[in-house]
Amino acid sequence: MGTFCSVIKFENLQELKRLCHWGPIIALGVIAICSTMAMIDSVLWYWPLHTTGGSVNFIMLINWTVMILYNYFNAMFVGPGFVPLGWKPEISQDTMYLQYCKVCQAYKAPRSHHCRKCNRCVMKMDHHCPWINNCCGYQNHASFTLFLLLAPLGCIHAAFIFVMTMYTQLYHRLSFGWNTVKIDMSAARRDPLPIVPFGLAAFATTLFALGLALGTTIAVGMLFFIQMKIILRNKTSIESWIEEKAKDRIQYYQLDEVFVFPYDMGSRWRNFKQVFTWSGVPEGDGLEWPVREGCHQYSLTIEQLKQKADKRVRSVRYKVIEDYSGACCPLNKGIKTFFTSPCTEEPRIQLQKGEFILATRGLRYWLYGDKILDDSFIEGLVFFRSF
């Protein structure tokens, strides 16, 4: 009940502005189109409500829509939870293990990271999601993951309705050899026939909704499996990257040490319970975390400090040989570069020929790094053409 109240009682009406963003507009648009068309198709053309099966089908469609929207708005408006402004550990000596955030005027708690979009340090930050226009973190990780699960399930149900609607309506109208297909159509027969005919516009709209449903099932379903993979290891996307860099650092310097991720509880079930609870409230307070034997609260932050100290040594310096406007998906840099643009809101850095960048990591056609400007750096994402 407390979670529900937190959804409808916004601490600040400015939170409603999160809806005024391309991500929520597209996401809510897809949900509205698929759910509305599925209900219309069911009532008018596929499965009449005066049958038991039709009623159950319609109730299930409403149930999917309500649960999807509930978890979506929960993830958006409840938010990830932010580190209190001016926060510092109770033991002053522990500050030596933590990074200091100049924007929040506070130390970064274990597992927290500063988000440039939210302009706050986020508890157990996983990533900033443009589809909810908010970060995914400590408080809303469960709601966000449930949304990723429910959306494909609802779309699969809707896609079935769309396919069966088109099939039943075209069954005796077009001669495509469908007469030989042995499907029991008795449940979908209507007596009398539907008042609203299934015309060309209805067919085109249903086909469009089917494309949206199938695309959403594939795209969001993949995101769900990625999230579940890291949840069962009690990690976040950022922590997975930190662990990868830690192993790379040890291998690069041939160090006689083994990096042990401190928050892995040793079993998938225990890791699962760190995020999903019956009360809906995640384990802990977002500032201190249970750790495995042999580790302590600051094992991961110490590794981050090592990587930060090593960053300038390990980064690769490149000279810009071609101007880049900073466009998100540059059309003049080739088809492959256009279609492999990272799906992130990281700022793209405008570059001019002759400038220098310091790359920390990269994809095939894009680099993450800093633009060297005198003695300062501008962080972001830059275009890179491989030869």
Side-chain angles (χ1 to χ4, degrees), residues 221-327:
M222 291 176 62
L223 292 177
F224 169 73
F225 282 111
I226 293 173
Q227 283 297 313
M228 283 305 303
K229 182 178 178 181
I230 61 176
I231 286 175
L232 293 177
R233 298 175 181 177
N234 201 16
K235 298 177 183 177
T236 64
S237 300
I238 295 177
E239 289 168 350
S240 296
W241 174 244
I242 293 174
E243 182 181 30
E244 183 180 335
K245 290 197 294 183
K247 294 178 179 178
D248 179 65
R249 180 184 63 82
I250 294 172
Q251 182 180 8
Y252 182 83
Y253 291 110
Q254 298 182 352
L255 301 176
D256 187 19
E257 61 180 89
V258 178
F259 177 77
V260 178
F261 186 73
Y263 304 114
D264 188 345
M265 296 291 96
S267 72
R268 294 183 177 181
W269 175 241
R270 292 181 63 188
N271 291 336
F272 180 84
K273 291 193 297 182
Q274 290 293 308
V275 177
F276 296 96
T277 60
W278 288 111
S279 64
V281 180
E283 293 285 344
D285 59 0
L287 299 174
E288 295 185 2
W289 307 91
V291 295
R292 65 187 302 167
E293 187 178 352
C295 301
H296 61 85
Q297 281 291 320
Y298 306 110
S299 294
L300 193 65
T301 56
I302 292 173
E303 175 58 35
Q304 288 179 259
L305 292 173
K306 291 180 180 178
Q307 293 178 9
K308 186 176 180 180
D310 186 46
K311 180 181 179 181
R312 301 307 176 201
V313 178
R314 296 291 309 281
S315 300
V316 181
R317 179 170 171 165
Y318 291 94
K319 183 177 181 179
V320 179
I321 61 173
E322 185 178 335
D323 292 347
Y324 167 53
S325 63

Side-chain angles (χ1 to χ4, degrees), residues 60-267:
M60 287 183 63
L61 285 174
I62 295 177
N63 183 57
W64 289 126
T65 304
V66 171
M67 290 195 300
I68 289 170
L69 289 176
Y70 173 78
N71 284 283
Y72 179 82
F73 287 125
N74 220 17
M76 177 186 291
F77 291 120
V78 171
F82 301 108
V83 177
L85 297 175
W87 180 85
K88 59 182 179 181
E90 294 181 359
I91 304 176
S92 58
Q93 289 84 350
D94 289 346
T95 57
M96 64 184 294
Y97 303 123
L98 301 173
Q99 299 182 53
Y100 186 77
C101 178
K102 296 180 180 178
V103 178
C104 298
Q105 296 293 305
Y107 286 94
K108 295 181 182 179
R111 312 190 78 176
S112 68
H113 302 273
H114 186 83
C115 174
R116 287 196 295 269
K117 290 291 181 180
C118 298
N119 203 33
R120 288 289 299 274
C121 286
V122 178
M123 295 178 180
K124 194 190 174 186
M125 180 178 175
D126 185 84
H127 68 288
H128 184 91
C129 178
W131 304 111
I132 62 173
N133 195 21
N134 207 341
C135 276
C136 174
Y138 164 67
Q139 290 184 351
N140 64 352
H141 203 173
S143 296
F144 180 77
T145 307
L146 286 174
F147 165 72
L148 297 182
L149 169 65
L150 294 169
L153 292 178
C155 285
I156 290 173
H157 187 186
F160 175 80
I161 299 299
F162 299 146
V163 170
M164 292 306 298
T165 297
M166 291 186 290
Y167 182 84
T168 56
Q169 292 301 309
L170 300 177
Y171 184 65
H172 288 300
R173 298 186 185 185
L174 300 176
S175 178
F176 288 131
W178 291 0
N179 303 344
T180 59
V181 180
K182 302 298 182 182
I183 296 180
D184 183 10
M185 306 298 290
S186 59
R189 290 199 186 104
R190 292 180 176 273
D191 188 20
L193 294 175
I195 299 175
V196 180
F198 188 78
L200 182 60
F203 176 80
T205 307
T206 301
L207 189 62
F208 175 71
L210 174 62
L212 286 180
L214 293 178
T216 301
T217 300
I218 296 172
V220 180
M222 291 176 62
L223 292 177
F224 169 73
F225 282 111
I226 293 173
Q227 283 297 313
M228 283 305 303
K229 182 178 178 181
I230 61 176
I231 286 175
L232 293 177
R233 298 175 181 177
N234 201 16
K235 298 177 183 177
T236 64
S237 300
I238 295 177
E239 289 168 350
S240 296
W241 174 244
I242 293 174
E243 182 181 30
E244 183 180 335
K245 290 197 294 183
K247 294 178 179 178
D248 179 65
R249 180 184 63 82
I250 294 172
Q251 182 180 8
Y252 182 83
Y253 291 110
Q254 298 182 352
L255 301 176
D256 187 19
E257 61 180 89
V258 178
F259 177 77
V260 178
F261 186 73
Y263 304 114
D264 188 345
M265 296 291 96
S267 72

Side-chain angles (χ1 to χ4, degrees), residues 17 276 314 368 375:
K17 289 185 177 180
F276 296 96
R314 296 291 309 281
Y368 290 85
D375 293 329

